[in-house]
Amino acid sequence: MVHYGHSNQLRQAKAMGDYLIVGVHTDSEISKHKGPPVFTQEERYKMVRAIKWVDEVVEGAPYVTTLGTLDKYSCNFCVHGDDITLTVDGKDTYEEVKKSGRYRECKRTQGVSTTDLVGRMLLMTKAHHSNIDSSDYQKHTDNFGKGHSPWTGVSQFLQTSQKIIQFASGQEPQPGDTIIYVAGAFDLFHIGHVDFLEVVHKLAEKPYIIVGLHFDQEVNRYKGKNYPIMNVHERTLSVLACRYVSEVVIGAPFAVTKDLLDHFKEPRRRGILRTVDSGNTLTTDAIMQRIIKNRLLFEARNKKKEAKEIAVIQAMKRQEEKTEGRPQALM
């Protein structure tokens, strides 16, 4: 998948240099090393390009990053999160660049992973909603991803004002800007949302797009089941990371009122509502169906991923024990 955890990694990576190139793997590479992808490679290419910190995308990047890959694209170094990425046979995919000193690390975003999001969809719980207490979330943790591995499993995402500031553009509307307001759930932020926002962005020469996000309770009222899959805090970061978005209203009303428009100094006149065709029929429901259709494959993927990570942790512990047990020479 492509989620706000990836966006946060790319934000940190961009801060380490001047020009950010992002390599995106093919479906076949992901299927071989991790399991079935949720989004297709074409969807992922376009979604990553829509993240505002990305300067360039390499399509079909190799799963194992080598010095040859870095040299091919004139990169000084590569960046990855502080979790570990393993090949199908359990090898560190960044081993070569680490040894050469051309590897940097950024902080992984606690509380989100493809594993967790898939688990939410399969379990059909509401434990991730912002109005649910932590005991219910703990049940979700116990049911999916036991947390034996520090990289795989479930931990609750905690929103902070600093995180919002890091993602927000901080730009006020400028004279001559056309202020455009759109609203919705924007759940599991996907290529359908990106295509829609791209079309909206093209409606004006200098667009200033404000996205209104409905609270979890409101989304659940009109969508039902365990929607939204992402709570309002997670959806906020997902939308803010998109290069077409200027501002987000957290907890926007379901009905667009005069007061809401006045808040953004939008002219009170008739005929300001426009309907646009994004050209994309993908919905959050459709993504759910992809997961459900391949339920057994995704469950096997998550178990296999955690098993590999646990094996690496155990090997690291054994190595530490051997090092500590060696006799020290006296000088």
Side-chain angles (χ1 to χ4, degrees), residues 23 25 30 54 60 64 107 111 136 148 154 159-160 170 260 299-300 310:
H25 308 311
I30 293 177
V54 176
V64 176
K107 290 290 183 181
D136 283 327
H148 297 300
V154 180
Q159 183 68 286
T160 64
L260 180 66
E299 288 180 341
I310 292 172

Side-chain angles (χ1 to χ4, degrees), residues 220-276:
N220 190 252
R221 180 188 65 78
Y222 63 78
K223 289 280 288 181
K225 299 180 182 177
N226 66 330
Y227 292 113
I229 303 302
M230 284 183 168
N231 65 47
V232 69
H233 307 302
E234 298 172 308
R235 291 183 283 122
T236 297
L237 297 187
S238 300
V239 174
L240 281 174
C242 181
R243 64 173 69 250
Y244 305 122
V245 176
S246 302
E247 180 64 290
V248 167
V249 178
I250 304 171
F254 184 71
V256 180
T257 63
K258 178 178 73 67
D259 290 340
L260 180 66
L261 294 180
D262 286 347
H263 180 76
F264 297 107
K265 301 177 182 177
E266 182 69 12
R268 287 180 291 167
R269 63 181 185 271
R270 295 184 180 181
I272 61 174
L273 174 65
R274 296 189 191 181
T275 302
V276 299

Side-chain angles (χ1 to χ4, degrees), residues 121-122 124 287-296:
M121 287 182 269
L122 290 177
M124 298 296 287
I287 295 171
M288 284 278 286
Q289 290 306 312
R290 291 182 186 181
I291 298 293
I292 292 169
K293 181 180 178 182
N294 295 294
R295 177 184 182 114
L296 295 179

Side-chain angles (χ1 to χ4, degrees), residues 60-124:
Y63 196 76
V64 176
T65 301
T66 64
L67 294 175
T69 302
L70 298 187
D71 291 340
K72 181 178 179 179
Y73 298 103
S74 302
C75 297
N76 297 93
F77 56 87
C78 68
V79 180
H80 192 265
D82 56 3
D83 54 336
I84 194 167
T85 303
L86 305 171
T87 63
V88 66
D89 51 0
K91 294 181 180 178
D92 184 351
T93 59
Y94 292 92
E95 183 177 3
E96 182 178 323
V97 291
K98 284 179 178 178
K99 288 180 178 178
S100 69
R102 293 173 68 181
Y103 175 85
R104 305 286 186 276
E105 220 164 61
C106 60
K107 290 290 183 181
R108 180 181 178 277
T109 307
Q110 285 297 113
V112 65
S113 65
T114 299
T115 302
D116 183 23
L117 294 174
V118 168
R120 296 182 196 183
M121 287 182 269
L122 290 177
L123 288 171
M124 298 296 287

